Amino acid sequence: MTGARTAVDGGISTEGRHRISTPASTIGPWLPDGALGESLAEGLARVESALGTAVGSEHPFVREAAGHLMSAGGKRFRPMLALLAAQLGNPTAPEVISAAVVCELTHLATLYHDDVMDEAAVRRGAPSANSRWGNSIAILTGDLLFARASDLLADLGPEAVRVQARTYERLVTGQLRETVGPQADEDPIAHYLEVLAAKTGSLVATSARFGAAFAGVEEGLVDALTAFGEEVGVAFQISDDLLDIVSADGASGKSPGTDLREGVATLPVLFALAGNDPAEARLRELVTGPITGEAEHAEALAALRSSDALARAAAVLREYADRARDRLAAVPEGEVRDALSALCDYVVTRTS
């Protein structure tokens, strides 16, 4: 990919990894030490500064609404993957930071819209934009972030615009399929995994693709990293499903069992509904829809935590992480490959 070498950037401190002004929540525990870790942390600081610029506005309320979810934190998973993929080429290419910011702005925009659709009250441990200002403000703010992402994207060339358009098409198609639900002849579990690949995996894949491509990585390796991104993106979302059940303290940023309360059929619930074990008959009865009663909610959560359905979902998570790791066969041995492999371990074992 080629294009104008215009890039958003920000000043950083280069005095040491722990003195760079990147929010701690953006650095995963799998981040490597040494020169590679320093380079990634510096890149994240530049992304964070650029994000602050991208959500700015001369209008105070617009600035507050646009920066609401960004300031709430997040792991910056997509920018981090873009930065790490870029390490296989020229990580200092200015387009790498711009592309990473485009991916994160796109992700943030979808969160505003998702919270409206889900009627969510909390996002990242803070009041959601829709609960704070109403649905119209949340939708318009998401649209604004899409516009800001598009503005940055225009400087990255027509091929990048095309890739982003196709990514967004997949993302929206996945959301539509999730909203409508599986058709009568579709396997609900296969449908769900296909939705995750489109709705989550597509943008994670593009993050890896952009990072590698704009760093000048050769095409075959770009393709392998793109495939890695999709697999690890699906794994990351499945791990969110599991955390909603097993997290006892809300470390995931929402109350445990939120999906159960809202009647969202995540992978463990789908496995429970597809099962026929008489011992889980009560569990299947409980998870057929939203659970409003506190006693029933506690009962369903406890049953899921000890269920075969949860174990089967955890096995699928490991399968996707292993598939992602298999894609790394094309990546040269070294620190970058080791860090990507550590990311596969992280998505399986993370607790928040």
Side-chain angles (χ1 to χ4, degrees):
M1 295 180 190
T2 58
R5 297 185 65 84
T6 303
V8 290
D9 204 349
I12 58 174
S13 166
T14 58
E15 297 177 5
R17 173 179 170 191
H18 298 292
R19 300 183 64 182
I20 295 169
S21 58
T22 305
S25 62
T26 68
I27 299 178
W30 56 276
L31 185 70
D33 292 318
L36 177 57
E38 179 73 21
S39 178
L40 292 173
E42 290 176 4
L44 274 178
R46 294 169 65 191
V47 168
E48 202 68 22
S49 177
L51 281 170
T53 300
V55 301
S57 172
E58 62 183 299
H59 306 291
F61 177 76
V62 174
R63 185 168 61 248
E64 181 182 9
H68 178 65
L69 285 184
M70 192 203 86
S71 62
K75 295 177 178 59
R76 305 291 187 256
F77 179 51
R78 293 153 188 81
M80 174 61 85
L81 186 54
L83 295 174
L84 188 51
Q87 293 288 329
L88 293 166
N90 175 18
T92 64
E95 297 93 342
V96 171
I97 298 297
S98 293
V101 172
V102 165
C103 292
E104 185 67 7
L105 284 174
T106 302
H107 172 59
L108 289 170
T110 65
L111 298 184
Y112 282 88
H113 289 178
D114 281 352
D115 285 346
V116 171
M117 295 182 67
D118 298 340
E119 299 180 351
V122 176
R123 169 69 69 175
R124 294 178 172 174
S128 62
N130 49 295
S131 68
R132 185 171 177 183
W133 295 299
N135 287 346
S136 294
I137 295 297
I139 292 169
L140 291 169
T141 303
D143 291 345
L144 175 67
L145 295 186
F146 282 128
R148 296 286 172 84
S150 297
D151 187 46
L152 292 173
L153 194 66
D155 289 324
L156 296 177
E159 178 62 18
V161 173
R162 183 176 294 107
V163 168
Q164 174 75 349
R166 290 174 178 173
T167 300
Y168 192 53
E169 179 184 0
R170 285 193 67 198
L171 194 157
V172 173
T173 299
Q175 183 65 69
L176 281 168
R177 292 187 66 199
E178 179 182 65
T179 302
V180 173
Q183 301 301 299
D185 59 346
E186 282 187 287
D187 172 26
I189 293 171
H191 172 269
Y192 186 72
L193 294 173
E194 289 170 7
V195 164
L196 293 193
K199 185 181 169 186
T200 301
S202 62
L203 186 57
V204 178
T206 293
S207 300
R209 177 173 181 170
F210 276 170
F214 286 117
V217 173
E218 61 92 10
E219 186 176 354
L221 187 49
V222 171
D223 290 343
L225 290 164
T226 302
F228 170 87
E230 180 150 332
E231 305 282 17
V232 83
V234 173
F236 200 87
Q237 187 58 55
I238 295 172
S239 69
D240 270 353
D241 291 357
L242 303 188
L243 280 173
D244 185 60
I245 295 168
V246 303
S247 175
D249 57 4
S252 63
K254 59 184 180 179
S255 299
T258 296
D259 292 331
L260 285 175
R261 291 187 189 280
E262 297 173 354
V264 177
T266 57
L267 189 58
V269 169
L270 290 172
F271 274 124
L273 291 172
N276 55 14
D277 185 347
E280 294 188 353
R282 174 58 177 165
L283 174 58
R284 289 192 291 276
E285 178 185 342
L286 287 167
V287 299
T288 52
I291 303 174
T292 56
E294 289 300 321
E296 289 81 4
H297 180 266
E299 181 185 0
L301 199 54
L304 267 176
R305 285 171 175 168
S306 61
S307 68
D308 178 64
L310 182 67
R312 293 179 68 187
V316 174
L317 166 59
R318 290 191 296 272
E319 177 187 339
Y320 272 91
D322 288 343
R323 283 164 54 173
R325 200 188 320 274
D326 288 344
R327 301 287 187 178
L328 299 179
V331 177
E333 291 185 4
E335 286 187 308
V336 174
R337 180 169 167 178
D338 291 345
L340 291 168
S341 182
L343 175 55
C344 296
D345 294 332
Y346 169 66
V347 297
V348 173
T349 61
R350 73 189 185 102
T351 58
S352 66

